[in-house]
């Protein structure tokens, strides 16, 4: 089996009986450009899972570091890492949700839903970067929820 097409076997069927059943991979069928890969972030199962898990591990490490280094020279690079990692993690995870549930409503709605998700992800990244550049940063903003009024 390859990354672009996998044979799906049902219980009791031989390989020959399921030779025509192929898993749809939008990335492989759309030319494989960067935008296509981001729109269908769950399409390349191996790559998406690896990136998703690596970003998850990075967030597990960055989040406590961000709380510890707030208001120091390290807070800006850590906040910038969080500004990209949180939306990327959410984007890949939500693509899995879209792939599972949107086709149950309408198969034609999957591409627009992924486009909308790409817009939400892009706006999230831009908003968090702006917060880091012009405001107190991601960590400073979150910590302000627990600080008393000045």
């Amino acid at each position: 089996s390859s990354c672009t097409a996998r044979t799906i076997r049902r219980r009791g069927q031989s390989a020959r009986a399921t030779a025509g059943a192929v898993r749809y991979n939008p990335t492989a069928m759309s030319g494989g450009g960067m935008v296509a890969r981001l729109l269908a972030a769950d399409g390349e199962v191996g790559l998406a899972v690896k990136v998703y898990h690596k970003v998850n591990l990075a967030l597990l490490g960055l989040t406590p570091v961000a709380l510890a280094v707030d208001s120091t020279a390290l807070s800006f690079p850590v906040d910038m890492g969080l500004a990209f990692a949180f939306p990327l993690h959410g984007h890949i995870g939500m693509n899995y949700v879209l792939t599972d549930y949107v086709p149950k409503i309408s198969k034609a709605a999957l591409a627009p839903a992924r486009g909308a998700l790409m817009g939400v992800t892009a706006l999230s990244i831009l908003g968090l970067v702006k917060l880091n550049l012009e405001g107190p940063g991601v960590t400073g903003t979150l910590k302000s929820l627990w600080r008393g009024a000045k």
Side-chain angles (χ1 to χ4, degrees), residues 43-137:
E44 290 187 32
V45 176
L47 179 63
V49 170
K50 286 179 185 176
V51 171
Y52 186 77
H53 288 134
K54 288 184 183 199
V55 170
N56 192 26
L57 291 174
L59 287 171
L60 282 171
L62 276 176
T63 303
V65 169
L67 295 172
V69 300
D70 186 36
S71 302
T72 66
L74 287 175
S75 64
F76 181 74
V78 171
D79 278 351
M80 288 303 280
L82 291 174
F84 287 92
F86 279 128
L88 179 61
H89 183 73
H91 180 81
I92 294 172
M94 283 305 299
N95 256 297
Y96 284 113
V97 172
L98 292 177
T99 299
D100 287 345
Y101 293 105
V102 171
K104 292 178 182 181
I105 298 167
S106 168
K107 290 183 181 185
L110 186 57
R114 284 184 168 162
L117 178 62
M118 177 60 97
V120 168
T121 301
L123 286 174
S124 298
I125 291 172
L126 289 173
L128 291 172
V129 167
K130 182 177 180 182
L131 183 66
N132 288 335
L133 294 174
E134 298 178 6

